[in-house]
Amino acid sequence: MKAMALKQLDKTLAGMKSALAVQPPARGWLRAIRDALGMSGPQLAKRMRMTKQGVADLEKKEVSGSLSLNTLRKAAEAMDCVLVYAVVPRDSLRAIVERQARKLAESDAAYTAHTMLLEDQLPSAAERRAAVDAATAELVRTMPKSLWDR
Protein backbone atom coordinates (compact mmCIF):
# COMPACT_ATOMS: atom_id res chain seq x y z
CA MET A 1 0.00 0.00 0.00
CA LYS A 2 2.85 2.41 0.85
CA ALA A 3 4.47 1.86 -2.54
CA MET A 4 1.18 2.44 -4.36
CA ALA A 5 0.46 5.61 -2.38
CA LEU A 6 3.98 6.85 -3.06
CA LYS A 7 3.62 6.16 -6.79
CA GLN A 8 0.22 7.88 -7.02
CA LEU A 9 1.37 10.94 -5.10
CA ASP A 10 4.53 11.13 -7.22
CA LYS A 11 2.32 11.14 -10.33
CA THR A 12 0.12 13.90 -8.89
CA LEU A 13 3.08 16.04 -7.87
CA ALA A 14 4.93 15.61 -11.17
CA GLY A 15 2.77 18.32 -12.74
CA MET A 16 3.76 20.75 -10.00
CA LYS A 17 7.52 20.61 -10.64
CA SER A 18 7.31 23.80 -12.68
CA ALA A 19 6.08 25.60 -9.54
CA LEU A 20 9.58 25.22 -8.08
CA ALA A 21 10.87 27.74 -10.63
CA VAL A 22 8.28 30.38 -9.69
CA GLN A 23 9.64 33.02 -7.35
CA PRO A 24 7.18 35.08 -5.31
CA PRO A 25 7.14 38.79 -6.16
CA ALA A 26 9.37 40.94 -3.93
CA ARG A 27 6.34 42.63 -2.37
CA GLY A 28 4.35 39.37 -2.13
CA TRP A 29 1.55 37.77 -4.09
CA LEU A 30 -1.22 39.71 -2.38
CA ARG A 31 0.27 43.05 -3.33
CA ALA A 32 1.18 41.91 -6.85
CA ILE A 33 -2.33 40.61 -7.56
CA ARG A 34 -3.98 43.62 -5.93
CA ASP A 35 -1.85 46.00 -8.01
CA ALA A 36 -2.47 44.01 -11.21
CA LEU A 37 -6.21 44.23 -10.56
CA GLY A 38 -5.94 47.98 -9.99
CA MET A 39 -7.38 47.51 -6.50
CA SER A 40 -6.28 49.89 -3.77
CA GLY A 41 -5.44 48.85 -0.23
CA PRO A 42 -8.58 50.57 1.13
CA GLN A 43 -10.70 48.77 -1.48
CA LEU A 44 -9.32 45.38 -0.46
CA ALA A 45 -9.76 46.36 3.19
CA LYS A 46 -13.44 47.09 2.55
CA ARG A 47 -13.92 43.75 0.81
CA MET A 48 -12.25 41.97 3.74
CA ARG A 49 -14.08 44.06 6.36
CA MET A 50 -10.87 45.35 7.89
CA THR A 51 -8.87 48.55 8.05
CA LYS A 52 -6.45 49.69 5.36
CA GLN A 53 -3.68 49.31 7.95
CA GLY A 54 -4.86 45.73 8.42
CA VAL A 55 -4.32 45.07 4.70
CA ALA A 56 -0.87 46.68 4.85
CA ASP A 57 -0.06 44.41 7.80
CA LEU A 58 -1.31 41.34 5.87
CA GLU A 59 0.93 42.18 2.94
CA LYS A 60 3.95 42.65 5.21
CA LYS A 61 3.23 39.38 7.02
CA GLU A 62 2.97 37.52 3.73
CA VAL A 63 6.43 38.74 2.67
CA SER A 64 7.91 37.80 6.06
CA GLY A 65 6.27 34.36 5.96
CA SER A 66 4.17 34.87 9.06
CA LEU A 67 0.71 35.10 7.48
CA SER A 68 -1.60 32.17 8.22
CA LEU A 69 -2.97 30.13 5.34
CA ASN A 70 -6.50 30.90 6.46
CA THR A 71 -5.91 34.66 6.28
CA LEU A 72 -4.12 34.31 2.96
CA ARG A 73 -7.10 32.33 1.64
CA LYS A 74 -9.53 35.06 2.77
CA ALA A 75 -7.44 37.78 1.10
CA ALA A 76 -7.28 35.72 -2.11
CA GLU A 77 -11.04 35.21 -2.10
CA ALA A 78 -11.60 38.96 -1.57
CA MET A 79 -9.73 39.48 -4.87
CA ASP A 80 -11.68 36.68 -6.62
CA CYS A 81 -8.64 34.40 -6.51
CA VAL A 82 -8.01 30.93 -5.12
CA LEU A 83 -5.19 30.04 -2.76
CA VAL A 84 -3.26 27.07 -4.08
CA TYR A 85 -1.15 25.36 -1.40
CA ALA A 86 1.20 22.46 -1.97
CA VAL A 87 4.37 20.92 -0.61
CA VAL A 88 6.35 20.05 -3.73
CA PRO A 89 9.36 17.76 -3.32
CA ARG A 90 12.55 18.77 -5.14
CA ASP A 91 12.85 15.22 -6.49
CA SER A 92 10.39 12.34 -6.84
CA LEU A 93 9.19 10.88 -3.55
CA ARG A 94 10.57 7.53 -4.65
CA ALA A 95 14.03 9.05 -5.20
CA ILE A 96 13.89 10.63 -1.74
CA VAL A 97 12.98 7.28 -0.18
CA GLU A 98 15.73 5.53 -2.17
CA ARG A 99 18.35 8.05 -0.99
CA GLN A 100 17.32 7.59 2.62
CA ALA A 101 17.27 3.80 2.25
CA ARG A 102 20.76 3.83 0.72
CA LYS A 103 22.03 6.07 3.52
CA LEU A 104 20.66 3.63 6.09
CA ALA A 105 21.98 0.58 4.20
CA GLU A 106 25.45 2.14 3.88
CA SER A 107 25.49 2.98 7.58
CA ASP A 108 24.55 -0.59 8.48
CA ALA A 109 27.11 -1.98 6.02
CA ALA A 110 29.86 0.20 7.52
CA TYR A 111 29.02 -1.10 10.99
CA THR A 112 29.00 -4.69 9.74
CA ALA A 113 32.28 -4.20 7.87
CA HIS A 114 33.91 -2.82 11.01
CA THR A 115 32.76 -5.83 13.00
CA MET A 116 33.98 -8.20 10.29
CA LEU A 117 37.32 -6.38 10.12
CA LEU A 118 37.81 -7.07 13.82
CA GLU A 119 37.17 -10.74 13.04
CA ASP A 120 39.51 -10.58 10.01
CA GLN A 121 36.62 -11.35 7.64
CA LEU A 122 36.34 -8.05 5.73
CA PRO A 123 34.13 -8.40 2.62
CA SER A 124 35.39 -7.21 -0.77
CA ALA A 125 34.24 -3.87 -2.16
CA ALA A 126 32.03 -5.69 -4.68
CA GLU A 127 30.44 -7.79 -1.93
CA ARG A 128 29.84 -4.69 0.16
CA ARG A 129 28.24 -2.83 -2.82
CA ALA A 130 26.01 -5.84 -3.52
CA ALA A 131 24.96 -6.01 0.13
CA VAL A 132 24.19 -2.26 0.18
CA ASP A 133 22.19 -2.54 -3.06
CA ALA A 134 20.19 -5.49 -1.71
CA ALA A 135 19.54 -3.80 1.63
CA THR A 136 18.52 -0.58 -0.14
CA ALA A 137 16.07 -2.44 -2.36
CA GLU A 138 14.57 -4.22 0.64
CA LEU A 139 14.19 -0.98 2.60
CA VAL A 140 12.51 0.71 -0.38
CA ARG A 141 10.21 -2.29 -0.83
CA THR A 142 9.16 -2.53 2.82
CA MET A 143 9.52 1.12 3.86
CA PRO A 144 9.78 0.35 7.57
CA LYS A 145 8.86 3.07 10.06
CA SER A 146 12.49 3.08 11.18
CA LEU A 147 13.59 4.29 7.73
CA TRP A 148 13.59 7.91 8.91
CA ASP A 149 15.03 7.37 12.41
CA ARG A 150 18.60 8.18 11.32
Side-chain angles (χ1 to χ4, degrees):
M1 289 300 271
K2 289 179 189 177
M4 186 184 304
L6 183 112
K7 186 176 182 178
Q8 288 175 341
L9 193 52
D10 254 346
K11 186 176 178 181
T12 299
L13 293 171
M16 297 182 171
K17 292 289 185 205
S18 61
L20 294 174
V22 177
Q23 294 296 315
R27 296 171 78 183
W29 288 108
L30 293 178
R31 179 64 184 263
I33 297 293
R34 184 172 64 73
D35 286 348
L37 292 172
M39 186 183 295
S40 70
Q43 289 169 328
L44 179 57
K46 184 178 179 183
R47 289 169 153 259
M48 293 185 70
R49 296 188 174 111
M50 62 182 350
T51 66
K52 63 182 178 179
Q53 183 59 50
V55 168
D57 292 343
L58 290 180
E59 291 175 349
K60 286 178 188 171
K61 286 181 178 180
E62 180 200 356
V63 172
S64 72
S66 61
L67 186 62
S68 75
L69 287 174
N70 190 43
T71 303
L72 189 57
R73 182 177 294 110
K74 288 177 184 175
E77 288 172 0
M79 294 185 289
D80 199 21
C81 295
V82 176
L83 173 65
V84 177
Y85 172 81
V87 176
V88 181
R90 289 181 186 91
D91 204 345
S92 72
L93 296 173
R94 179 163 180 89
I96 293 170
V97 167
E98 286 173 353
R99 271 195 307 273
Q100 181 64 19
R102 180 157 300 277
K103 178 180 163 186
L104 190 60
E106 286 173 349
S107 174
D108 290 348
Y111 176 79
T112 301
H114 177 70
T115 301
M116 293 178 83
L117 174 65
L118 295 175
E119 298 171 1
D120 201 25
Q121 298 175 347
L122 191 62
S124 70
E127 290 171 324
R128 186 169 170 191
R129 269 193 309 277
V132 167
D133 289 346
T136 299
E138 181 64 13
L139 287 167
V140 169
R141 187 184 69 72
T142 60
M143 287 180 56
K145 291 183 182 193
S146 62
L147 181 64
W148 297 97
D149 286 348
R150 307 185 244 165

